[in-house]
Structure formats: structure tokens, C-alpha cells
Amino acid sequence: MELYVKSLVAYAVEQGLLEECDTVFAINRLLEVLQADSYEEPADAPLTDLEEILRGLLDYAVEKGILDDNITARDLFDTKLMGAITPFPHEVRKTFAEKYARDPKEATDYYYAFSQATDYIRRYRIQKDRRWKYASQFGEMDITINLSKPEKDPRAVAAAKLAPQTGYPKCQLCTENEGYAGRMNHPARQNHRILPITIDGGVWYWQYSPYVYYNEHCIVFNGEHTPMKIDRSAFRKLLDFVGQFPHYFVGSNADLPIVGGSILSHEHFQGGGYDFAMAKAPVEEKLTFRGYEDISAGIVAWPMSVIRLEGSDPDRLVSLADDILTAWRGYTDESAFIFAHTDGEDHNTITPIARMRGDKFQLDLVLRNNITTEEHPLGVYHPHAEYHHIKKENIGLIEVMGLAVLPARLAKELDAVKELVLAGKNLRENELTEKHATWMEEILSRREVTAENISAVVEEEVGYVFSKVLECAGVYKRTEEGKAAFLLFTASVKG
């Protein structure tokens, strides 16, 4: 145990979380967490691999009966250990402010490295994700199979059901998560530090996502637990953020079920330092909105229905975006199967994304609609049933921009598909591969597959499915009729 304690403190000093003079204090804090009352400095050199260090301390705690041996309990405990060596919030905020005064990018570089050093971002888990690129007709899309979220241990699930229900914190985005010890049904956050930011005159905070779906994946959230809302103020907030962090983009999930994100109860955005395929996609049809001739506008060459606005005055972009949103909220075109309302339920909304292009502000407005039918009970503009074997979940902000976040189940399923195809076995006779049989049979009818190329073939075909899923989510189809209908809507926008 002593070597792991020594190693963790040495790691914290090396990462800049502690200073040398903090060593004895930090050792005693860790001993308290480990319920140990003595310590003898080992002669061995400290270990350097954080995952190995934490695993050793967790195994010790299990052996001593301090915690149960399941993934959730271990995650709660190793976060408590890391919390013992993580600086207080005021220290992190002071350092960030000093660096921001010199250069916003220097500040975010510091905060991103800090969030990894504290193990809030578990780098060794992120590395398990499967990632590849797909060269679509719309640009190079990103495909990921998310393996960094550990699967729930049945014992942990049972324990979570028995855990007392509490409304604190109200959700995983609330400020009260900072330093929270967690419980079996809520993650620990003792090693978590958030940063305050003023957006559109309001008190907001931001942090990095612990799962990092893309480079410097950050979350910007309202200081109050208030629901998601796409309105004029949302556009102001997005543009305000990129004005303060011009090297980042930021976007918002839509505010309606099916086309929105997983947390609609707390207003938040997602951003980061990454250029997605949609951001790189060109304008394929220029638009002019009456009264806004000073703003460049156009339809983006993308499988979904995207209007791009660009200009040097953010207030002008906000005004035009609000006019487009107002028009879209009430827009119905039965011939294109677009209904603003049915049975008193609103269907139209927008997924907005903001970024800087040089000294100009750019705002992408993705038109969304969440209507359902008997044929498509999960949503007409949602992944259709034929693609559910790959992607059944909602198309949120990240997918909209061109990054597929695919479920962990696919790793085992696609491995099994490849194995059975090469062995010449029937995919329909295996529980893991049955759902993929029709898809794979169609692929084999037009492509020659060998042991050397099967992985590349499967990855390319998964990418193709994702591009088709995005087309499903587009309210206007990429046909001449769809283009005409799209232009009909843009003509309805009143300046």
C-alpha cells in the first residue's frame, strides 16, 4: 500500500497538482481515505502509471473490506483518492484567470491538461474507444464506438436501486457536483473543478466532458437548473462564448424530445477545439434574406438541412437567426411532410452551432422536426428501423456535426460478424450477429471480402450507414423537390 501512496503523491507533484511541501499532508489525507493509521516510506522508486497506481490502491481497499469489488464502487473510491490530491476550486480559477489574461488558448490548454491529470478525464479509458474516419460525399466523418463508459456491474445496479433517492445534486450538470462524493446512482466528483463564465450577462460555468468524444470536448452550463430553450437569447449566448474563446466552437442540442439531447432539464451547450465535417462543408446554395443583405447566408452541402450565417456583427446574426427560428417554429408544408404542430404538440426547432472564422462570427442553424407516425414511432426525422442495428439513438448535436457516437455493444457484435463471415457461417444463427445479417448479406453481394480487408470493409459500411442516418434526420431530402421545398421555407422568413 505504501508504494502506491508514495507513487500517487509523486504523480500529483509531477503533474503540478501539488508542490513538494504538500507531500506529508497529501500522504496523510490518502491514509485517512484508506483507513490506515501508519506509513513507512518505501525505498522503491515511485510507479508512474496512474491506472496501475489506482488499481493497487483499489485492490488494497477491497482486501481490507473498505469497499465492495464492483466497477461503480471502485470508481467512487478512486475518485475520492484523486480528490485528496486535487487543488481547491479557488486555486484552479486563479491560475486559469491569470493564463486567460495572457491568452485564452493558454488558459484552455492548462485547464484541459489539469482535467486529465486529476483523472476526471480517464485517459486510459478513452483510449479504449474505437475511432475511424469515413470519407463520405459530404466530407470526412468521424465514427466512434464508445467503450469509455464502463458497463454496469449487476451488483452495482442492484445497489443503486437500494440507494436512497435524493434531489441533490438535481442533475449531473448542476454546480453542486463540484467536489460531491457521489453515490451508487450518481458519479463522484471530488476531483472535479468547474470554471465560472459570464455569458450574455448571466452566471454560467464550464467544464470538460469526462468522456471526450472529440478534442477538448467541453460543456457550458447555466448556473441555474433551468430547462433547455432555443430562442433569441440562446443565439446571443453561443456567439458570446465563441467571442471569449475564439479557438473553440460551441453548439446547443435542440430543445424538444427525440431531436434533443439526453439532458433537457438543464440548459447547456457543448463545444471544443475540433473542426467537424459539417464545419468544413461548403455552402452549396447562396441565400439572401431581405433586410440582412450585410450577412452572408446559404444552404450547407450536408445531409441534414443547414442554413449558415456569417457576419462581423453578432447582434445582426442574432436578429436574423431569431427571424429564421420564429418562421420555422410556425412553418407547415404538408407536401414536404413538415408540420409545426399536431394535437397541440410543437414539432419544429433548431440545433444551432457557433464558431469564429477569422474576425467573423459564423452560425449554423440545423432545422429539426420531431413528429412521429405509426410507420416511424421513434420519429420521422430519426434513424429509420433499417439502420437500428447500427444506430437507434437520437441524433443530437455531436452527430449532427458529423461524429457518430455508436453504442458499446457494436464492438462485440461487429467482431462476431467478421469472425462468422470469414468462417462461412450463418449470421442468423448467432444472437450477436442476427440483427446484422440482412445488412451484411447485401454487402457481400457487391463486395469481395477477405481476411485482409474485412475490418476496413465493415468500418466503411458502418460509416455509410451513419451518413444515411443523417439523411434520415434531414427535414428536407437532398433531391430537386427537397431543395425547392427548402428554398420555399427560406423565402418565408420575414426580416
Side-chain angles (χ1 to χ4, degrees), residues 36-72:
D37 53 15
S38 64
Y39 176 82
E40 185 174 339
E41 181 81 9
D44 294 343
L47 305 170
T48 58
D49 183 81
L50 181 59
E51 184 179 16
E52 180 184 359
I53 295 168
L54 291 175
R55 186 187 306 116
L57 291 170
L58 289 169
D59 290 345
Y60 169 84
V62 169
E63 180 184 334
K64 294 296 182 180
I66 299 171
L67 80 155
D68 294 330
D69 191 13
N70 63 67
I71 291 174
T72 302

mmCIF file of all heavy atoms in Angstrom, residues 36-72:
data_model
loop_
_atom_site.group_PDB
_atom_site.id
_atom_site.type_symbol
_atom_site.label_atom_id
_atom_site.label_comp_id
_atom_site.label_asym_id
_atom_site.label_seq_id
_atom_site.Cartn_x
_atom_site.Cartn_y
_atom_site.Cartn_z
ATOM 1 N N ALA A 36 -5.976 3.882 7.073
ATOM 2 C CA ALA A 36 -4.694 3.381 7.571
ATOM 3 C C ALA A 36 -4.139 4.399 8.561
ATOM 4 O O ALA A 36 -4.265 5.615 8.352
ATOM 5 C CB ALA A 36 -3.717 3.163 6.420
ATOM 6 N N ASP A 37 -3.504 3.932 9.637
ATOM 7 C CA ASP A 37 -3.012 4.866 10.658
ATOM 8 C C ASP A 37 -1.500 4.890 10.779
ATOM 9 O O ASP A 37 -0.946 5.486 11.711
ATOM 10 C CB ASP A 37 -3.640 4.562 12.021
ATOM 11 C CG ASP A 37 -3.459 3.109 12.438
ATOM 12 O OD1 ASP A 37 -2.625 2.414 11.820
ATOM 13 O OD2 ASP A 37 -4.139 2.678 13.387
ATOM 14 N N SER A 38 -0.806 4.242 9.846
ATOM 15 C CA SER A 38 0.654 4.284 9.879
ATOM 16 C C SER A 38 1.193 4.236 8.455
ATOM 17 O O SER A 38 0.510 3.808 7.517
ATOM 18 C CB SER A 38 1.211 3.116 10.697
ATOM 19 O OG SER A 38 0.885 1.878 10.078
ATOM 20 N N TYR A 39 2.447 4.682 8.314
ATOM 21 C CA TYR A 39 3.056 4.752 6.984
ATOM 22 C C TYR A 39 4.568 4.703 7.138
ATOM 23 O O TYR A 39 5.144 5.410 7.975
ATOM 24 C CB TYR A 39 2.653 6.056 6.291
ATOM 25 C CG TYR A 39 3.306 6.281 4.939
ATOM 26 C CD1 TYR A 39 2.810 5.684 3.788
ATOM 27 C CD2 TYR A 39 4.419 7.112 4.827
ATOM 28 C CE1 TYR A 39 3.404 5.902 2.557
ATOM 29 C CE2 TYR A 39 5.033 7.341 3.589
ATOM 30 C CZ TYR A 39 4.513 6.732 2.458
ATOM 31 O OH TYR A 39 5.104 6.952 1.236
ATOM 32 N N GLU A 40 5.190 3.842 6.345
ATOM 33 C CA GLU A 40 6.650 3.768 6.298
ATOM 34 C C GLU A 40 7.087 3.982 4.860
ATOM 35 O O GLU A 40 6.673 3.250 3.961
ATOM 36 C CB GLU A 40 7.138 2.417 6.817
ATOM 37 C CG GLU A 40 8.658 2.325 6.899
ATOM 38 C CD GLU A 40 9.131 1.039 7.560
ATOM 39 O OE1 GLU A 40 8.334 0.423 8.299
ATOM 40 O OE2 GLU A 40 10.285 0.661 7.328
ATOM 41 N N GLU A 41 7.889 5.006 4.645
ATOM 42 C CA GLU A 41 8.326 5.364 3.296
ATOM 43 C C GLU A 41 9.059 4.205 2.634
ATOM 44 O O GLU A 41 10.091 3.738 3.144
ATOM 45 C CB GLU A 41 9.244 6.587 3.351
ATOM 46 C CG GLU A 41 9.750 7.061 2.008
ATOM 47 C CD GLU A 41 8.740 7.927 1.260
ATOM 48 O OE1 GLU A 41 7.707 8.301 1.851
ATOM 49 O OE2 GLU A 41 8.993 8.225 0.092
ATOM 50 N N PRO A 42 8.576 3.684 1.495
ATOM 51 C CA PRO A 42 9.268 2.587 0.816
ATOM 52 C C PRO A 42 10.509 3.086 0.083
ATOM 53 O O PRO A 42 10.568 4.233 -0.365
ATOM 54 C CB PRO A 42 8.218 2.061 -0.168
ATOM 55 C CG PRO A 42 7.312 3.215 -0.406
ATOM 56 C CD PRO A 42 7.304 4.038 0.846
ATOM 57 N N ALA A 43 11.485 2.206 -0.049
ATOM 58 C CA ALA A 43 12.733 2.573 -0.728
ATOM 59 C C ALA A 43 12.574 2.536 -2.249
ATOM 60 O O ALA A 43 13.339 3.192 -2.973
ATOM 61 C CB ALA A 43 13.852 1.635 -0.294
ATOM 62 N N ASP A 44 11.604 1.782 -2.732
ATOM 63 C CA ASP A 44 11.432 1.636 -4.179
ATOM 64 C C ASP A 44 11.068 2.963 -4.829
ATOM 65 O O ASP A 44 10.395 3.814 -4.230
ATOM 66 C CB ASP A 44 10.322 0.618 -4.481
ATOM 67 C CG ASP A 44 10.711 -0.788 -4.043
ATOM 68 O OD1 ASP A 44 11.905 -1.024 -3.829
ATOM 69 O OD2 ASP A 44 9.799 -1.626 -3.900
ATOM 70 N N ALA A 45 11.491 3.113 -6.087
ATOM 71 C CA ALA A 45 11.137 4.304 -6.859
ATOM 72 C C ALA A 45 9.630 4.310 -7.110
ATOM 73 O O ALA A 45 9.016 3.238 -7.263
ATOM 74 C CB ALA A 45 11.891 4.323 -8.173
ATOM 75 N N PRO A 46 9.017 5.483 -7.137
ATOM 76 C CA PRO A 46 7.555 5.529 -7.346
ATOM 77 C C PRO A 46 7.154 5.024 -8.722
ATOM 78 O O PRO A 46 7.894 5.175 -9.704
ATOM 79 C CB PRO A 46 7.228 7.014 -7.183
ATOM 80 C CG PRO A 46 8.510 7.742 -7.428
ATOM 81 C CD PRO A 46 9.600 6.830 -6.952
ATOM 82 N N LEU A 47 5.988 4.403 -8.777
ATOM 83 C CA LEU A 47 5.411 3.984 -10.057
ATOM 84 C C LEU A 47 4.942 5.231 -10.807
ATOM 85 O O LEU A 47 4.647 6.260 -10.196
ATOM 86 C CB LEU A 47 4.239 3.039 -9.809
ATOM 87 C CG LEU A 47 4.539 1.800 -8.952
ATOM 88 C CD1 LEU A 47 3.254 1.079 -8.589
ATOM 89 C CD2 LEU A 47 5.502 0.871 -9.671
ATOM 90 N N THR A 48 4.842 5.126 -12.116
ATOM 91 C CA THR A 48 4.473 6.305 -12.913
ATOM 92 C C THR A 48 3.148 6.171 -13.651
ATOM 93 O O THR A 48 2.598 7.172 -14.116
ATOM 94 C CB THR A 48 5.572 6.616 -13.939
ATOM 95 O OG1 THR A 48 5.767 5.467 -14.779
ATOM 96 C CG2 THR A 48 6.889 6.964 -13.250
ATOM 97 N N ASP A 49 2.631 4.952 -13.760
ATOM 98 C CA ASP A 49 1.377 4.745 -14.498
ATOM 99 C C ASP A 49 0.194 4.931 -13.557
ATOM 100 O O ASP A 49 0.029 4.166 -12.590
ATOM 101 C CB ASP A 49 1.354 3.346 -15.115
ATOM 102 C CG ASP A 49 0.103 3.110 -15.938
ATOM 103 O OD1 ASP A 49 0.069 3.555 -17.091
ATOM 104 O OD2 ASP A 49 -0.848 2.493 -15.406
ATOM 105 N N LEU A 50 -0.634 5.950 -13.813
ATOM 106 C CA LEU A 50 -1.728 6.276 -12.902
ATOM 107 C C LEU A 50 -2.722 5.132 -12.771
ATOM 108 O O LEU A 50 -3.196 4.837 -11.668
ATOM 109 C CB LEU A 50 -2.441 7.544 -13.370
ATOM 110 C CG LEU A 50 -3.605 8.016 -12.494
ATOM 111 C CD1 LEU A 50 -3.133 8.303 -11.074
ATOM 112 C CD2 LEU A 50 -4.278 9.238 -13.098
ATOM 113 N N GLU A 51 -3.055 4.492 -13.852
ATOM 114 C CA GLU A 51 -4.021 3.392 -13.790
ATOM 115 C C GLU A 51 -3.502 2.277 -12.885
ATOM 116 O O GLU A 51 -4.248 1.719 -12.067
ATOM 117 C CB GLU A 51 -4.306 2.853 -15.195
ATOM 118 C CG GLU A 51 -5.380 1.779 -15.215
ATOM 119 C CD GLU A 51 -5.690 1.267 -16.619
ATOM 120 O OE1 GLU A 51 -4.874 1.511 -17.536
ATOM 121 O OE2 GLU A 51 -6.733 0.622 -16.786
ATOM 122 N N GLU A 52 -2.224 1.951 -13.015
ATOM 123 C CA GLU A 52 -1.622 0.917 -12.165
ATOM 124 C C GLU A 52 -1.625 1.335 -10.698
ATOM 125 O O GLU A 52 -1.910 0.528 -9.807
ATOM 126 C CB GLU A 52 -0.183 0.643 -12.627
ATOM 127 C CG GLU A 52 0.542 -0.419 -11.810
ATOM 128 C CD GLU A 52 1.993 -0.587 -12.225
ATOM 129 O OE1 GLU A 52 2.445 0.110 -13.158
ATOM 130 O OE2 GLU A 52 2.686 -1.417 -11.588
ATOM 131 N N ILE A 53 -1.298 2.596 -10.438
ATOM 132 C CA ILE A 53 -1.278 3.102 -9.063
ATOM 133 C C ILE A 53 -2.660 3.002 -8.429
ATOM 134 O O ILE A 53 -2.822 2.501 -7.306
ATOM 135 C CB ILE A 53 -0.787 4.562 -9.041
ATOM 136 C CG1 ILE A 53 0.673 4.648 -9.507
ATOM 137 C CG2 ILE A 53 -0.935 5.158 -7.641
ATOM 138 C CD1 ILE A 53 1.135 6.063 -9.800
ATOM 139 N N LEU A 54 -3.667 3.491 -9.141
ATOM 140 C CA LEU A 54 -5.022 3.460 -8.594
ATOM 141 C C LEU A 54 -5.532 2.029 -8.429
ATOM 142 O O LEU A 54 -6.214 1.718 -7.445
ATOM 143 C CB LEU A 54 -5.963 4.264 -9.497
ATOM 144 C CG LEU A 54 -5.736 5.783 -9.509
ATOM 145 C CD1 LEU A 54 -6.631 6.455 -10.531
ATOM 146 C CD2 LEU A 54 -5.974 6.376 -8.113
ATOM 147 N N ARG A 55 -5.198 1.176 -9.386
ATOM 148 C CA ARG A 55 -5.628 -0.232 -9.266
ATOM 149 C C ARG A 55 -5.049 -0.856 -8.004
ATOM 150 O O ARG A 55 -5.729 -1.598 -7.274
ATOM 151 C CB ARG A 55 -5.192 -1.028 -10.491
ATOM 152 C CG ARG A 55 -5.737 -2.466 -10.497
ATOM 153 C CD ARG A 55 -5.159 -3.305 -11.624
ATOM 154 N NE ARG A 55 -5.327 -2.684 -12.908
ATOM 155 C CZ ARG A 55 -4.329 -2.275 -13.690
ATOM 156 N NH1 ARG A 55 -3.080 -2.415 -13.274
ATOM 157 N NH2 ARG A 55 -4.553 -1.737 -14.862
ATOM 158 N N GLY A 56 -3.779 -0.557 -7.696
ATOM 159 C CA GLY A 56 -3.155 -1.103 -6.490
ATOM 160 C C GLY A 56 -3.840 -0.624 -5.218
ATOM 161 O O GLY A 56 -4.060 -1.405 -4.282
ATOM 162 N N LEU A 57 -4.202 0.659 -5.185
ATOM 163 C CA LEU A 57 -4.893 1.197 -4.011
ATOM 164 C C LEU A 57 -6.307 0.648 -3.886
ATOM 165 O O LEU A 57 -6.795 0.374 -2.779
ATOM 166 C CB LEU A 57 -4.918 2.725 -4.089
ATOM 167 C CG LEU A 57 -3.552 3.411 -3.918
ATOM 168 C CD1 LEU A 57 -3.652 4.892 -4.246
ATOM 169 C CD2 LEU A 57 -3.021 3.201 -2.506
ATOM 170 N N LEU A 58 -6.979 0.459 -5.025
ATOM 171 C CA LEU A 58 -8.329 -0.107 -5.004
ATOM 172 C C LEU A 58 -8.300 -1.558 -4.535
ATOM 173 O O LEU A 58 -9.144 -1.986 -3.737
ATOM 174 C CB LEU A 58 -8.958 -0.006 -6.396
ATOM 175 C CG LEU A 58 -9.337 1.402 -6.863
ATOM 176 C CD1 LEU A 58 -9.698 1.396 -8.347
ATOM 177 C CD2 LEU A 58 -10.498 1.955 -6.044
ATOM 178 N N ASP A 59 -7.339 -2.317 -5.022
ATOM 179 C CA ASP A 59 -7.225 -3.717 -4.599
ATOM 180 C C ASP A 59 -6.963 -3.803 -3.093
ATOM 181 O O ASP A 59 -7.496 -4.687 -2.404
ATOM 182 C CB ASP A 59 -6.105 -4.416 -5.376
ATOM 183 C CG ASP A 59 -6.462 -4.637 -6.843
ATOM 184 O OD1 ASP A 59 -7.645 -4.522 -7.196
ATOM 185 O OD2 ASP A 59 -5.534 -4.927 -7.633
ATOM 186 N N TYR A 60 -6.140 -2.897 -2.601
ATOM 187 C CA TYR A 60 -5.876 -2.851 -1.155
ATOM 188 C C TYR A 60 -7.178 -2.574 -0.388
ATOM 189 O O TYR A 60 -7.476 -3.228 0.626
ATOM 190 C CB TYR A 60 -4.834 -1.767 -0.842
ATOM 191 C CG TYR A 60 -4.692 -1.453 0.625
ATOM 192 C CD1 TYR A 60 -3.866 -2.222 1.449
ATOM 193 C CD2 TYR A 60 -5.400 -0.387 1.200
ATOM 194 C CE1 TYR A 60 -3.741 -1.944 2.804
ATOM 195 C CE2 TYR A 60 -5.285 -0.096 2.557
ATOM 196 C CZ TYR A 60 -4.450 -0.884 3.355
ATOM 197 O OH TYR A 60 -4.344 -0.601 4.695
ATOM 198 N N ALA A 61 -7.955 -1.607 -0.860
ATOM 199 C CA ALA A 61 -9.203 -1.249 -0.184
ATOM 200 C C ALA A 61 -10.201 -2.405 -0.205
ATOM 201 O O ALA A 61 -10.913 -2.633 0.777
ATOM 202 C CB ALA A 61 -9.803 -0.009 -0.847
ATOM 203 N N VAL A 62 -10.258 -3.132 -1.301
ATOM 204 C CA VAL A 62 -11.139 -4.305 -1.376
ATOM 205 C C VAL A 62 -10.682 -5.365 -0.392
ATOM 206 O O VAL A 62 -11.476 -5.960 0.347
ATOM 207 C CB VAL A 62 -11.158 -4.864 -2.821
ATOM 208 C CG1 VAL A 62 -11.851 -6.221 -2.850
ATOM 209 C CG2 VAL A 62 -11.861 -3.902 -3.766
ATOM 210 N N GLU A 63 -9.367 -5.610 -0.369
ATOM 211 C CA GLU A 63 -8.802 -6.619 0.526
ATOM 212 C C GLU A 63 -9.092 -6.301 1.991
ATOM 213 O O GLU A 63 -9.361 -7.202 2.805
ATOM 214 C CB GLU A 63 -7.289 -6.693 0.299
ATOM 215 C CG GLU A 63 -6.569 -7.712 1.169
ATOM 216 C CD GLU A 63 -5.060 -7.670 0.979
ATOM 217 O OE1 GLU A 63 -4.611 -7.264 -0.107
ATOM 218 O OE2 GLU A 63 -4.346 -8.041 1.926
ATOM 219 N N LYS A 64 -9.075 -5.011 2.322
ATOM 220 C CA LYS A 64 -9.314 -4.599 3.704
ATOM 221 C C LYS A 64 -10.806 -4.438 4.025
ATOM 222 O O LYS A 64 -11.171 -4.090 5.150
ATOM 223 C CB LYS A 64 -8.601 -3.268 3.974
ATOM 224 C CG LYS A 64 -7.083 -3.363 3.929
ATOM 225 C CD LYS A 64 -6.541 -4.270 5.032
ATOM 226 C CE LYS A 64 -5.029 -4.329 5.023
ATOM 227 N NZ LYS A 64 -4.500 -5.209 6.096
ATOM 228 N N GLY A 65 -11.662 -4.683 3.047
ATOM 229 C CA GLY A 65 -13.095 -4.590 3.274
ATOM 230 C C GLY A 65 -13.621 -3.170 3.316
ATOM 231 O O GLY A 65 -14.726 -2.918 3.815
ATOM 232 N N ILE A 66 -12.846 -2.231 2.770
ATOM 233 C CA ILE A 66 -13.259 -0.826 2.778
ATOM 234 C C ILE A 66 -14.322 -0.562 1.713
ATOM 235 O O ILE A 66 -15.171 0.312 1.870
ATOM 236 C CB ILE A 66 -12.034 0.096 2.568
ATOM 237 C CG1 ILE A 66 -11.030 -0.110 3.703
ATOM 238 C CG2 ILE A 66 -12.435 1.567 2.487
ATOM 239 C CD1 ILE A 66 -9.704 0.592 3.481
ATOM 240 N N LEU A 67 -14.281 -1.297 0.607
ATOM 241 C CA LEU A 67 -15.278 -1.122 -0.445
ATOM 242 C C LEU A 67 -15.604 -2.447 -1.094
ATOM 243 O O LEU A 67 -14.814 -3.395 -1.034
ATOM 244 C CB LEU A 67 -14.797 -0.118 -1.508
ATOM 245 C CG LEU A 67 -13.820 -0.612 -2.578
ATOM 246 C CD1 LEU A 67 -13.931 0.242 -3.818
ATOM 247 C CD2 LEU A 67 -12.390 -0.557 -2.073
ATOM 248 N N ASP A 68 -16.775 -2.511 -1.734
ATOM 249 C CA ASP A 68 -17.177 -3.695 -2.488
ATOM 250 C C ASP A 68 -16.442 -3.711 -3.821
ATOM 251 O O ASP A 68 -16.083 -2.671 -4.369
ATOM 252 C CB ASP A 68 -18.687 -3.675 -2.732
ATOM 253 C CG ASP A 68 -19.484 -3.802 -1.443
ATOM 254 O OD1 ASP A 68 -18.975 -4.442 -0.496
ATOM 255 O OD2 ASP A 68 -20.593 -3.239 -1.372
ATOM 256 N N ASP A 69 -16.230 -4.907 -4.333
ATOM 257 C CA ASP A 69 -15.462 -5.054 -5.567
ATOM 258 C C ASP A 69 -16.384 -5.046 -6.784
ATOM 259 O O ASP A 69 -16.689 -6.083 -7.366
ATOM 260 C CB ASP A 69 -14.640 -6.341 -5.520
ATOM 261 C CG ASP A 69 -13.622 -6.407 -6.652
ATOM 262 O OD1 ASP A 69 -13.395 -5.364 -7.299
ATOM 263 O OD2 ASP A 69 -13.056 -7.489 -6.884
ATOM 264 N N ASN A 70 -16.874 -3.848 -7.159
ATOM 265 C CA ASN A 70 -17.601 -3.702 -8.416
ATOM 266 C C ASN A 70 -17.173 -2.376 -9.050
ATOM 267 O O ASN A 70 -16.586 -1.515 -8.384
ATOM 268 C CB ASN A 70 -19.115 -3.779 -8.213
ATOM 269 C CG ASN A 70 -19.659 -2.660 -7.342
ATOM 270 O OD1 ASN A 70 -19.643 -1.492 -7.740
ATOM 271 N ND2 ASN A 70 -20.141 -3.008 -6.149
ATOM 272 N N ILE A 71 -17.462 -2.210 -10.328
ATOM 273 C CA ILE A 71 -16.950 -1.062 -11.080
ATOM 274 C C ILE A 71 -17.406 0.259 -10.474
ATOM 275 O O ILE A 71 -16.621 1.195 -10.312
ATOM 276 C CB ILE A 71 -17.377 -1.155 -12.559
ATOM 277 C CG1 ILE A 71 -16.651 -2.310 -13.242
ATOM 278 C CG2 ILE A 71 -17.084 0.145 -13.290
ATOM 279 C CD1 ILE A 71 -17.103 -2.570 -14.667
ATOM 280 N N THR A 72 -18.691 0.345 -10.129
ATOM 281 C CA THR A 72 -19.206 1.607 -9.596
ATOM 282 C C THR A 72 -18.545 1.970 -8.272
ATOM 283 O O THR A 72 -18.115 3.112 -8.069
ATOM 284 C CB THR A 72 -20.732 1.532 -9.427
ATOM 285 O OG1 THR A 72 -21.332 1.225 -10.686
ATOM 286 C CG2 THR A 72 -21.285 2.854 -8.916
#
